[in-house]
Amino acid sequence: SSELTQDPAVSVALGQTVRITCQGDGLSKYFGSWYQQKPGQAPVLVIYGRNNRPSGIPDRFSGSGSNPGNTASLTITGVQAEDEAEYYCNSRDSTGDHVVFGGGTKLTVL
Amino acid sequence: EVQLVESGGGLVQPGGSLRLSCIASGFNFNTYDMHWVRQVPGKGLEWVSGVTSAGDTFYSNSVKGRFTVSRDNGRNSFHLQMNSLRDEDTAVYFCARETVTMSGWFDPWGQGTLVTVSS
């Protein structure tokens, strides 16, 4: 399969910790990445590789993945109100020629 | 500042054509693979096409044979020629830089350009 599967929605109380997961065959061969997208804005890379954050991304964002395995996770520790957004995972597919995205997880901060 | 700026979106009739452009600045463009990703309003992200630094091209099954990606390293730009457009091609089209070749890690993204296919 060339798809990545995410839970459609997750909610978390302000200040708590949330984990968002992504599953798919491509993740058994490639480390994926995670994107935050707020309404009307372009996606922003928040985690890439095993657990790397681009400059400017708060350290409350972290990533993990099972390797070998086909699951990746994004964890937000001490969730802030501004973290409410849609989160997408992606990776190369199992052939390496294409890129696939998960369907997205809408994070609601209570 | 690393930046990508798309242009060329608009309204086009089914069966028509449109050419999107993405202008890059702030980095050594000719050493990076570049991609197009689209998003139907209110829906998820869909990878469309990519072009490597060497000029090799790749397409999703949904656009293969209709879309053509190209790059102009001298002008720090790359393009998406979209032919035989269908209603289902209506989306915001983003361009993005792949930070490490073959990684699938995209950063940054452009602001997006809206393509509307409708009669």
Side-chain angles (χ1 to χ4, degrees):
Chain A
S1 168
S2 61
E3 298 177 346
L4 295 177
T5 301
Q6 298 181 238
D7 289 332
V10 171
S11 60
V12 61
L14 185 68
Q16 297 303 301
T17 296
V18 65
R19 174 176 286 185
I20 300 170
T21 61
C22 174
Q23 187 172 26
D25 289 345
L27 294 172
S28 63
K29 190 174 179 180
Y30 299 95
F31 284 109
S33 51
W34 289 93
Y35 303 85
Q36 178 192 70
Q37 187 180 33
K38 297 180 179 179
Q41 298 182 17
V44 173
L45 180 68
V46 294
I47 290 291
Y48 63 97
R50 186 182 293 273
N51 181 18
N52 301 290
R53 283 177 288 106
S55 174
I57 301 300
D59 61 6
R60 63 178 180 272
F61 290 87
S62 63
S64 62
S66 57
N67 190 14
N70 67 349
T71 302
S73 299
L74 171 70
T75 299
I76 311 173
T77 303
V79 168
Q80 302 298 302
E82 62 262 32
D83 299 332
E84 185 164 287
E86 193 85 23
Y87 289 86
Y88 295 92
C89 62
N90 85 335
S91 79
R92 286 277 177 168
D93 73 354
S94 55
T95 72
D97 287 343
H98 292 181
V99 177
V100 290
F101 284 89
T105 298
K106 180 174 176 56
L107 176 66
T108 300
V109 180
L110 304 172
Chain B
E1 178 191 6
V2 176
Q3 192 173 16
L4 300 173
V5 178
E6 303 96 338
S7 62
L11 175 63
V12 62
Q13 292 187 338
S17 298
L18 211 55
R19 186 177 188 247
L20 306 184
S21 296
C22 179
I23 306 296
S25 60
F27 64 98
N28 194 1
F29 176 75
N30 62 4
T31 65
Y32 286 90
D33 301 348
M34 304 297 297
H35 296 261
W36 290 97
V37 177
R38 68 185 180 184
Q39 185 173 38
V40 174
K43 301 298 184 183
L45 300 171
E46 179 191 12
W47 176 79
V48 173
S49 178
V51 55
T52 70
S53 58
D56 296 323
T57 58
F58 300 89
Y59 302 93
S60 69
N61 291 337
S62 60
V63 307
K64 193 171 186 176
R66 301 187 297 122
F67 290 10
T68 302
V69 64
S70 61
R71 64 189 297 157
D72 183 344
N73 289 338
R75 289 185 166 86
N76 284 359
S77 65
F78 76 117
H79 311 278
L80 188 67
Q81 177 66 43
M82 304 185 295
N83 298 332
S84 303
L85 282 161
R86 305 167 179 167
D87 291 350
E88 56 264 35
D89 295 317
T90 294
V92 175
Y93 285 72
F94 297 99
C95 62
R97 180 185 72 168
E98 190 170 16
T99 60
V100 175
T101 195
M102 290 297 293
S103 66
W105 308 334
F106 292 167
D107 181 56
W109 297 57
Q111 84 285 355
T113 187
L114 177 63
V115 172
T116 302
V117 184
S118 175
S119 53

